Amino acid sequence: MTLNYKIIGSRIKIRRKMKDVTQEQMAEDLNLSVGFISQLERGICKVSLDTLANITEYLDYTFSDILEYNQHSESYNQSKLNALYSSLSPEDQHVMLSLIEAYTKHR
């Protein structure tokens, strides 16, 4: 099995944002560099199992949450949608709901 580090990094980033933690906070708390966190989230570096275990524990995640699903799974899409939606202002959330409702009505 080949690991897709872009997907792993994206899931870490989504979870970090859902927990309202900055890259700087996470790096400091885990004794890692901000550069490493940034590269990890962009999927341009590999991560050891020990470091991944520390990250998943820090984010209240599990290995299966990060590794199990493919990018197009319902679980992955839902968590990404939730993270994006929660990052919006209440006004923008209302706009997005209206857009989704219009899309589903007219597709």
Side-chain angles (χ1 to χ4, degrees), residues 10-68:
S10 178
R11 290 178 182 157
I12 289 170
K13 181 178 183 177
I14 289 167
R15 185 64 172 204
R16 176 183 58 76
K17 287 187 172 194
M18 288 174 68
K19 295 192 62 71
D20 198 28
V21 174
T22 65
Q23 286 183 341
E24 291 80 9
Q25 289 171 316
M26 185 170 152
E28 184 177 329
D29 292 344
L30 294 173
N31 199 29
L32 300 169
S33 73
V34 176
F36 175 77
I37 299 296
S38 174
Q39 289 179 4
L40 178 63
E41 289 183 353
R42 289 181 285 143
I44 60 175
C45 71
K46 295 183 179 182
V47 60
S48 72
L49 286 176
D50 288 337
T51 301
L52 188 58
N54 290 338
I55 290 169
T56 57
E57 183 178 333
Y58 178 80
L59 296 174
D60 297 322
Y61 233 21
T62 66
F63 277 112
S64 63
D65 290 330
I66 288 180
L67 301 175
E68 185 174 279

